[in-house]
Amino acid sequence: MHTALITGASRGIGAAIAAALAPTHTLVLAGRPSPALQQTAERLGATTLPLDVTDTDAIPSTTAAIGELDVLVHNAGVFLPGPVAESTVEDWRTTFDVNVVGAVAVTLALLPALRRAGGQVVFVNSGTGRKASATMASYSASKFALRAFADSLRESEPDLRVTTVYPGRVDTDMQRALVSFEGGEYDASKFLKPETVAAAVAQAVATPPDGHLHEVVLRPRG
C-alpha cells in the first residue's frame, strides 16, 4: 500500500483528507502532539509523527526514517485576520513561518523520499491564494507565496506530480474565527464541508499515472 504523510491532520480539512486517503494509503499524520491528533490516528489506524513545521532545524532528523513517500499533503497553516494597516510585522513573520517556510522545509527534507517513489505533493491552498482579501492580508500573501513555491517545485522536479487545491470558504474552526472577526452570523450551510475538499484531494491523488493535475479550484455552490 502506498504511503501518505499529511500535515495539520488533527481536525478539520486535514483529518478529512486523512479519512479519504485511509482506504488506499498507509497514513503518517504529522503535527504537534495533541489529543486530537492522537484520536484521529487511532480512529484511522495511522502513525503519528511529532513535527513542528516552525522548527526547521529539527525537521530533517524527524523525517529521516522515511525512505520512500508516495504522497505528501501540506495542510498545516495558521490564520491571523486583519487588513494591512492593522497587521504587525510579527503577524507576517508568524504566518509565513508556518504557511510557507514550514512547507518548504518539510518538502526539502522529504524530497529524496518523494523522488524514490515518483511521488506527489499536494498543497491545500485557499481562494485567497488566487485573489487577495482585504481582511486577510498576511494570510493571502502567504498563500500566494505557497502557490509560487508549488509552481516552482513542479517545474524543477518533473518526475513528481505537484497539485495545488484552492478551496473556497470551508466549515472549520478557522472559518468560525473569520466570521466572528467580520462580525457576521455563522451559517455552516454557506460553506464547503471539509469532506468535500478531502474528496477533491483524494481524486487528485487517484489521477492515473499518465496524468498530472496541476490545480483544482473548488467553491461552494450558490
Side-chain angles (χ1 to χ4, degrees):
M1 187 177 285
H2 290 169
T3 299
L5 186 151
I6 306 165
T7 68
S10 61
R11 59 186 187 277
I13 295 173
I17 292 171
L21 294 181
T24 54
H25 290 75
T26 299
L27 299 178
V28 180
L29 309 185
R32 294 174 178 171
S34 70
L37 184 66
Q38 189 60 40
Q39 288 167 10
T40 300
E42 291 175 359
R43 175 168 56 86
L44 298 174
T47 300
T48 60
L49 181 70
L51 184 73
D52 180 350
V53 298
T54 65
D55 188 0
T56 55
D57 290 338
I59 289 172
S61 60
T62 301
T63 59
I66 300 174
E68 287 193 10
L69 183 62
D70 300 283
V71 179
L72 169 60
V73 180
H74 287 292
N75 179 68
V78 67
F79 164 69
L80 300 174
V84 172
E86 296 176 11
S87 66
T88 67
V89 170
E90 191 57 34
D91 289 342
W92 289 77
R93 183 175 288 115
T94 297
T95 304
F96 271 73
D97 279 350
V98 175
N99 295 358
V100 184
V101 178
V104 171
V106 172
T107 302
L108 292 177
L110 290 172
L111 199 51
L114 288 161
R115 285 170 173 164
R116 291 186 196 103
Q120 182 170 4
V121 185
V122 179
F123 293 87
V124 180
N125 200 292
S126 166
T128 62
R130 295 174 61 87
K131 185 179 186 300
S133 168
T135 59
M136 295 186 283
S138 63
Y139 184 75
S140 292
S142 73
K143 291 300 187 178
F144 267 80
L146 189 65
R147 175 185 182 181
F149 173 60
D151 291 347
S152 296
L153 180 65
R154 187 183 303 111
E155 291 296 320
S156 62
E157 296 289 333
D159 291 334
L160 302 183
R161 298 199 297 186
V162 179
T163 304
T164 295
V165 180
Y166 300 95
R169 300 179 73 158
V170 185
D171 177 23
T172 61
D173 292 342
M174 183 182 291
Q175 196 63 238
R176 288 182 181 275
L178 176 58
V179 172
S180 177
F181 175 81
E182 294 171 337
E185 185 174 337
Y186 197 83
D187 182 354
S189 67
K190 294 181 178 179
F191 309 125
L192 292 165
K193 296 177 181 178
E195 292 76 14
T196 302
V197 180
V201 171
Q203 286 181 325
V205 170
T207 300
D210 63 319
H212 186 171
L213 187 60
H214 289 197
E215 295 184 336
V216 178
V217 179
L218 187 64
R219 297 289 181 269
R221 293 183 66 176

